[in-house]
Amino acid sequence: MRHGIAEINNGSDSARNLTEGGVLGVRSTAVKLLDRKLVVTKVFSSPLVRAQQTAAVMAEEMGMPI
């Protein structure tokens, strides 16, 4: 999956954080996947801040260790 919605470029693309809406969108996606009984055993992420935040939210919602 792709990262959630991130802030507008603040000068450093790699340091852009997820917006509040981005976090809510990732949580919503995780709930939908859980509702479909999808089993996720690993979450991988690029080193970009927004991607790491997305992975952390997904792992948390899926009950996986971060």
Side-chain angles (χ1 to χ4, degrees):
M1 88 177 253
R2 191 169 173 170
H3 62 77
I5 298 169
E7 301 171 320
I8 295 174
N9 195 337
N10 61 4
S12 174
D13 183 57
S14 63
R16 291 170 51 209
N17 289 296
L18 291 181
T19 63
E20 186 176 325
V23 172
L24 292 174
V26 174
R27 289 190 194 288
S28 174
T29 298
V31 168
K32 289 175 185 173
L33 294 174
L34 288 169
D35 285 347
R36 293 181 180 172
K37 309 294 187 225
L38 180 72
V39 176
V40 176
T41 59
K42 293 182 182 176
V43 177
F44 296 90
S45 170
S46 79
L48 299 176
V49 171
R50 62 189 177 271
Q52 290 180 1
Q53 291 171 336
T54 297
V57 171
M58 182 63 69
E60 178 185 347
E61 288 298 315
M62 296 253 172
M64 300 170 55
I66 297 175

